[in-house]
């Protein structure tokens, strides 16, 4: 890997004692940022002490309000797993609840402080995760899901969820099932491009076969999510790297952010849509935009939001018992 440049340290969102992890950032109104995250004692989704919290900022992440509890029940381990906006501009937040029975609850907030549950799902297949929400004209709200147990057997699946009533009810679509882990696209980050086109970048899971260690997947639909193409990209400097994808219609640029675990760096690849649509091997070389912990799984899961010529990228970083939520303001690329 090339040498790491001198970069300003990320801004701290939350470093309370414990395992602060898996954050999501969303803008509300003209100047508010909301960062939602979960906290427990270790890298585990099932610990009953794990809950979901949020803080807001009015100065681009320089300072944050007091923490708000979104949900923390004694019956389940709860984790934030996806964010977005509804058709009225309110924040949506998916929360995975792992207890005696799994479910995925959707919360809504108009201010980033007060959250109310508007839906509770137990789909089949049961998703491991539901990802960020985006809007598709003529279809409604959409997000991806993936299901599986991270084993080598061909038992993994993925697809979409769509809502025509602003998030109150959801319809599940299975795109692929019976996948081995090496062919399983997980933690999808999707954007709507116009004219029925949707593009997503996904994480690739590590397998026991060194010959099958792959690159991020690229998913494409030209018909509003009715059908999909799955292709491997040339982005292989990853280790179970969760992507976050931003689309700028004015510049025609896609920005793919991902945290390379064990290397401890947040990277960005920027490409014109015209260069990579239908051509997933054309992603250019990455640039390093932030540095964090290189301690195994105890850093990563970037999530990004764009506003006012800036990209705001949040991730978590630390060690097996203490991690913090950080955010990095990055200047948006220009053509």
């Amino acid at each position: 890997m090339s040498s790491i440049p001198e970069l300003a340290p990320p801004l701290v969102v939350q470093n309370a004692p414990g395992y602060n992890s898996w954050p999501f950032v969303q803008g509300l109104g003209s100047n508010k940022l909301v960062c939602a995250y979960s906290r427990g004692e270790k890298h585990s989704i099932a610990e009953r002490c794990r809950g979901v919290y949020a803080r807001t900022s009015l100065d681009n992440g320089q300072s944050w309000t007091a923490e708000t509890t979104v949900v923390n029940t004694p019956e389940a381990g709860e984790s934030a797993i996806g964010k977005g906006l509804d058709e009225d501009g309110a924040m949506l937040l998916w929360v995975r609840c792992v207890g005696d029975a799994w479910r995925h609850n959707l919360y809504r907030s108009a201010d980033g402080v007060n959250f109310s549950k508007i839906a509770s799902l137990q789909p089949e297949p049961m998703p491991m995760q539901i990802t960020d929400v985006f809007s598709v004209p003529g279809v409604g709200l959409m997000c991806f899901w993936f299901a599986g147990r991270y084993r080598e057997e061909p038992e993994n699946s993925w697809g979409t969820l769509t809502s025509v009533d602003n998030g109150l009810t959801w319809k599940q679509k299975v795109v692929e099932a019976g996948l081995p882990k090496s062919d399983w696209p997980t933690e999808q980050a999707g954007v709507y491009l116009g004219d029925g086109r949707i593009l997503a970048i996904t994480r690739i899971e590590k397998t026991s076969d060194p010959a099958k260690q792959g690159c991020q997947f690229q998913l494409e639909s030209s018909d509003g999510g009715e059908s999909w193409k799955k292709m491997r990209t040339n982005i292989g400097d990853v280790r179970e790297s969760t992507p976050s994808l931003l689309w700028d219609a004015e510049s025609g640029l896609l920005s793919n952010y991902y945290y390379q675990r064990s290397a401890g760096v947040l990277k960005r690849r920027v490409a014109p849509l015209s260069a990579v649509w239908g051509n997933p091997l054309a992603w250019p070389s990455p640039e390093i935009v932030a540095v964090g912990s290189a301690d195994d799984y105890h850093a990563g899961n970037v999530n990004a939001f764009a506003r006012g010529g800036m990209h705001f990228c949040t991730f978590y970083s630390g060690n097996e018992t203490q991690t913090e939520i950080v955010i990095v303001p990055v200047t948006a690329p220009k053509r």
Side-chain angles (χ1 to χ4, degrees), residues 88 95 114 180 211 277 284:
D88 302 313
V95 173
N114 301 287
W277 179 264

Side-chain angles (χ1 to χ4, degrees), residues 132-312:
D132 284 359
V133 179
F134 54 97
S135 182
V136 178
V139 176
L141 300 178
M142 179 179 287
C143 46
F144 290 95
W145 60 268
F146 63 96
R149 290 188 284 177
Y150 298 93
R151 305 193 304 186
E152 303 292 339
E153 287 79 6
E155 59 185 2
N156 305 296
S157 58
W158 70 277
T160 60
L161 287 164
T162 54
S163 174
V164 297
D165 56 9
N166 215 16
L168 298 180
T169 61
W170 294 83
K171 179 181 179 181
Q172 184 181 33
K173 175 183 175 68
V174 178
V175 177
E176 285 189 299
L179 296 173
K181 191 163 69 164
S182 59
D183 292 330
W184 186 32
T186 63
E187 306 204 10
Q188 309 95 327
V191 291
Y192 180 68
L193 304 166
D195 299 322
R197 297 173 302 165
I198 304 166
L199 188 145
I201 297 294
T202 88
R203 170 169 146 167
I204 179 70
E205 300 301 326
K206 184 179 179 181
T207 72
S208 59
D209 185 350
K212 293 185 177 180
Q213 304 312 319
C215 299
Q216 289 179 334
F217 285 110
Q218 184 166 307
L219 311 176
E220 293 181 1
S221 175
S222 297
D223 54 13
E226 284 296 314
S227 61
W228 293 89
K229 294 180 180 179
K230 182 180 73 178
M231 302 166 283
R232 289 193 186 273
T233 68
N234 59 335
I235 304 172
D237 52 333
V238 292
R239 182 183 166 223
E240 289 133 316
S241 297
T242 301
S244 194
L245 190 65
L246 297 178
W247 160 242
D248 185 344
E250 184 175 345
S251 67
L253 296 177
L254 289 160
S255 296
N256 177 11
Y257 289 93
Y258 56 99
Y259 192 92
Q260 187 178 1
R261 281 175 160 154
S262 296
V265 289
L266 175 61
K267 293 183 174 182
R268 175 174 72 177
R269 296 198 188 212
V270 179
L273 173 63
S274 57
V276 297
W277 179 264
N279 190 16
L281 301 180
W283 284 90
S285 299
E287 59 180 310
I288 296 174
V289 297
V291 177
S293 170
D295 188 353
D296 198 45
Y297 290 97
H298 308 305
N301 289 75
V302 65
N303 187 259
F305 167 75
R307 183 171 61 197
M310 297 295 295
H311 292 171
F312 299 93

Side-chain angles (χ1 to χ4, degrees), residues 20 259 291-294 298-300 315-319 322-326:
N20 302 279
Y259 192 92
V291 177
S293 170
H298 308 305
F315 60 96
Y316 76 105
S317 181
N319 57 48
Q322 177 64 49
T323 56
E324 62 183 7
I325 305 297
V326 297

Side-chain angles (χ1 to χ4, degrees), residues 60-114:
N60 291 335
Q62 298 292 325
S63 63
W64 295 86
T65 58
E67 183 177 86
T68 297
T69 299
V70 178
V71 59
N72 185 5
T73 65
E75 298 84 20
E78 288 136 335
S79 305
I81 54 173
K83 62 95 197 280
L85 295 175
D86 70 8
E87 302 291 1
D88 302 313
M91 181 177 178
L92 296 175
L93 184 68
W94 283 111
V95 173
R96 173 181 54 213
C97 305
V98 179
D100 295 334
W102 280 51
R103 61 175 34 87
H104 297 278
N105 293 336
L106 184 63
Y107 289 80
R108 181 185 186 273
S109 178
D111 58 9
V113 177
N114 301 287

